[in-house]
Amino acid sequence: MNATKEVELLENSQVKLTVHVPPADVTQEYDAIVKEYCEKAHLKGFRPGKVPRDVVIRKLGPSLIDQTRSEILEKSLAAVFEDVERKPIPYATPEIKSESALELGKDFSFEVIYDVYPDVALGPYTGLEIDQPEWEITDEDLGRELKGIQEQNALFTDKESGAVERGNIVNMDYVELVAGSERPGTKREAFVFEVGTGYNVYKVDDDVVGMKKAETKTITKIFPDDFETKALAGKTVNLRITVNSIKEKKLPEINDELAQDISEKFQTLDDLKADIRTKLEAAVKSALRSRTVTRVLDTVAQTSTFPLPSSMVDYQLEAMWQDTASRLGIDETALTQVFEQQGRSIDDVRKEWIPAAEKRARLQLVVSEIAKKEGIVIEDSDLDVEIARMAEERKVTPAELKDSLVKNNLDAYMRSNLRMDKLYDFLLSKTVIRRSGRQKVLDILQGN
C-alpha cells in the first residue's frame, strides 16, 4: 500500500501521524473485497462463485465501504509503522483521532496519535555514595531461626476435652446476625486459624478462648473508626460462632534429633546452626545488594528528566493489579470483591496506586536507558553458562534444561533476568559504599 505519512511530535512523548492513502489504493482494496464476495457469497438465484459484481454492490453497498475502511486503516498503519522512526510503545494502542469519509476515487486520510518511548536525559549513575550498615549474625538470630524451624515441625493433635487456649488451632463457623437473622454473604464455614495470631477478619481471638468443641455463642464486636478492615470500621457487629474442632500444637525439642529429622546431611544441632548461619549471611548480602541497587536507581530516576507517557503508567497499574491477585492466590474478580469489602472501588485503588505506578515506569525507562548507554547485553554464551549452572543444581543435562526453557517460552525471560543482574553488577561496581552504623540482621531482612 502506497500510503504517505506526516509525523508531528507532540508533548508528553506522543506522536501525531497523518496518513494519506491515494485513490488508486482505495479502489484496489475495494475491488478486492467485492471480488471476494462475488466468489464466496451464497445468494438465492445464483450459483456459488457466480454472483455478479453489481448485485453484490447493490446488496452490500455500505458494509463494503466499512470493510474497505477497516482494511485500509489496518494495512496502511502496518505499512507506515514499519519504517517510521518513532514507533509506538508495544503495549499502547494507537488512537484514531480524525479521518475523512472514505469515498471511491478520492484520497482517504486519517490522523492517529500514539505514545512513544521518551528521550531520557539521565542523571548521574556512577560515583554515587550509598550508606550501608555493619552487621553480624548473633545468637539471637540463630535462636529465632531455630524457633521458626521448631514451629514448622510442630505436631497437631485433636483436643477432645478442655477449652480453647491461645496457641490452639481452631476450626470454626461464623456468620453476622442482623435482628437475629443471618446476614447474606457473611457466612463462613470451616475457617481455621491459630488463636492469638489475629489472622481473622473480626479479631475474635479473645472471644473464642474458653469455648469448647461443638459450642456455639453469639458475641458483639464494636470496631473502632480506624479499624484495619474499612468495611467494619466504626460498626457494631453481632457474630455467631461455632467451634467445630480444637487442635493442640506440640513443639519438638531443639536438639540433635530435630536436626537429623530435618535433613540427613545434619548429624548434630551444630551442623544445623552452621547451615542456618550460611543461609542467613547469603540472605543479608542479597538484601543489602537489592537495597543498594534500589537506592542508586531511585537517585538516578529523581535526577533524570523525561516526560512519562500515560500508557506506561496504565501498563504498570495493570501489572500491579495482576501481581496483587497472584500474590493472594485469587483471580481478579475475587480481588475486586476483597477491595469492595474494604469499602474501596477499583478506581479508588488505581488512584492510590498511581504514584507507585509512575515510579515503576520511571525506573523502567532509567534502567533501559542505562543498559543501552553502557551496551549491557547477554550473549548466547552467557545464557549457556547460567543454564549449565542451573542444570547441575537440578541434576539434569544442560541440553534438557535448555529444551525445557524454550518449550515453555522461558528463555527470553531468563535472558532478561541475566541482563538485569549484569546491569546491577555494573552499577554496584561504580557505587561508593559508605559504612554507617550497625543494624540488626532481622531489620535488614525486613527492609527496615
Side-chain angles (χ1 to χ4, degrees):
M1 187 164 287
N2 299 311
T4 59
K5 63 182 183 298
E6 298 166 14
V7 180
E8 179 184 351
L9 299 180
L10 305 178
E11 294 181 351
N12 202 31
S13 198
Q14 287 190 319
V15 166
K16 182 172 79 171
L17 194 63
T18 303
V19 181
H20 302 283
V21 181
D25 283 4
V26 173
T27 300
Q28 181 179 348
E29 190 63 41
Y30 177 80
D31 288 344
I33 291 172
V34 172
K35 181 181 178 182
E36 183 178 5
Y37 274 104
C38 289
E39 294 173 350
K40 296 182 179 179
H42 294 272
L43 293 180
K44 189 176 181 179
F46 299 95
R47 287 180 297 164
K50 299 296 183 178
V51 181
R53 174 186 170 91
D54 61 329
V55 172
V56 168
I57 293 174
R58 187 171 67 253
K59 292 276 188 182
L60 306 175
S63 64
L64 294 173
I65 294 294
D66 290 342
Q67 187 172 341
T68 301
R69 170 190 168 278
S70 296
E71 291 290 334
I72 288 176
L73 283 172
E74 182 179 345
K75 292 179 180 179
S76 60
L77 275 177
V80 296
F81 281 152
E82 190 68 30
D83 63 354
V84 72
E85 183 179 354
R86 303 298 295 270
K87 299 185 185 299
I89 293 175
Y91 44 77
T93 303
E95 180 182 3
I96 305 293
K97 296 299 290 187
S98 65
E99 59 183 284
S100 61
L102 190 142
E103 299 180 47
L104 298 178
K106 294 185 178 181
D107 281 345
F108 175 63
S109 301
F110 61 92
E111 292 180 350
V112 60
I113 292 181
Y114 58 90
D115 289 344
V116 296
Y117 287 117
D119 295 322
V120 178
L122 285 172
Y125 58 87
T126 61
L128 298 177
E129 296 185 353
I130 302 295
D131 290 339
Q132 204 173 90
E134 299 282 358
W135 58 277
E136 66 174 338
I137 307 295
T138 65
D139 289 342
E140 179 185 358
D141 297 318
L142 293 176
R144 183 184 59 253
E145 296 299 313
L146 284 170
K147 179 64 176 175
I149 292 173
Q150 184 187 38
E151 290 282 348
Q152 292 169 11
N153 288 272
L155 296 176
F156 297 92
T157 58
D158 289 328
K159 188 174 184 179
E160 296 297 341
S161 61
V164 174
E165 299 176 279
R166 300 182 78 81
N168 288 168
I169 307 298
V170 169
N171 179 309
M172 70 179 189
D173 301 337
Y174 64 78
V175 64
E176 288 185 25
L177 300 178
V178 178
S181 299
E182 295 184 1
R183 182 183 172 193
T186 65
K187 189 172 185 177
R188 179 75 182 271
E189 296 179 339
F191 176 74
V192 178
F193 77 106
E194 181 178 342
V195 180
T197 61
Y199 293 155
N200 57 93
V201 174
Y202 297 94
K203 305 303 179 191
V204 295
D205 300 65
D206 292 337
D207 302 285
V208 298
V209 169
M211 292 183 68
K212 296 182 178 180
K213 181 179 178 180
E215 180 180 350
T216 297
K217 75 174 182 179
T218 300
I219 61 173
T220 299
K221 300 288 292 185
I222 302 174
F223 298 100
D225 293 336
D226 61 351
F227 189 63
E228 61 187 61
T229 302
K230 292 185 177 181
L232 296 175
K235 294 184 178 180
T236 298
V237 174
N238 292 317
L239 200 68
R240 186 175 67 210
I241 298 173
T242 299
V243 173
N244 300 318
S245 66
I246 310 168
K247 289 183 181 292
E248 291 183 288
K249 180 168 62 177
K250 294 186 178 180
L251 298 174
E253 290 187 30
I254 299 177
N255 53 22
D256 292 347
E257 185 177 347
L258 175 61
Q260 294 164 10
D261 287 343
I262 291 170
S263 173
E264 60 184 16
K265 69 179 182 180
F266 303 134
Q267 295 300 314
T268 67
L269 181 59
D270 286 339
D271 294 339
L272 175 58
K273 287 182 178 179
D275 185 70
I276 291 173
R277 181 180 291 275
T278 299
K279 289 178 179 177
L280 272 178
E281 288 175 348
V284 172
K285 290 176 182 178
S286 176
L288 289 176
R289 168 187 164 87
S290 178
R291 179 195 294 186
T292 302
V293 168
T294 297
R295 289 178 176 175
V296 168
L297 291 175
D298 283 345
T299 300
V300 179
Q302 290 169 8
T303 56
S304 300
T305 55
F306 51 89
L308 190 59
S310 60
S311 59
M312 291 194 71
V313 178
D314 290 339
Y315 177 81
Q316 293 297 338
L317 284 170
E318 181 60 27
M320 291 167 67
W321 184 264
Q322 294 176 4
D323 289 346
T324 302
S326 177
R327 188 172 65 254
L328 295 176
I330 57 179
D331 61 27
E332 295 182 39
T333 300
L335 180 60
T336 300
Q337 294 172 348
V338 168
F339 285 124
E340 287 175 348
Q341 289 173 357
Q342 299 173 354
R344 302 155 73 193
S345 67
I346 296 177
D347 288 340
D348 292 335
V349 175
R350 287 176 68 89
K351 287 177 183 177
E352 293 172 14
W353 287 357
I354 283 177
E358 290 177 341
K359 180 178 180 179
R360 285 173 56 153
R362 289 184 66 83
L363 287 173
Q364 177 189 347
L365 289 168
V366 163
V367 166
S368 177
E369 189 65 20
I370 294 174
K372 182 170 65 176
K373 190 171 181 179
E374 296 297 333
I376 295 176
V377 296
I378 295 299
E379 306 292 348
D380 289 343
S381 57
D382 298 321
L383 190 62
D384 290 340
V385 169
E386 180 63 12
I387 288 175
R389 184 192 68 78
M390 293 175 61
E392 184 176 0
E393 286 183 351
R394 300 182 184 190
K395 309 301 181 186
V396 297
T397 67
E400 289 172 333
L401 180 56
K402 188 171 185 177
D403 183 57
S404 175
L405 290 170
V406 172
K407 283 183 179 178
N408 292 284
N409 298 316
L410 293 175
D411 51 330
Y413 177 77
M414 185 174 175
R415 187 183 292 271
S416 175
N417 284 343
L418 287 173
R419 185 168 181 251
M420 293 298 289
D421 282 340
K422 193 172 184 178
L423 171 64
Y424 294 162
D425 288 341
F426 167 79
L427 289 174
L428 290 172
S429 72
K430 302 296 182 181
T431 299
V432 178
I433 302 298
R434 299 181 306 203
R435 298 300 173 186
S436 61
R438 181 174 291 275
Q439 193 170 11
K440 288 185 175 182
V441 165
L442 182 61
D443 288 337
I444 293 173
L445 295 177
Q446 291 180 341
N448 299 328

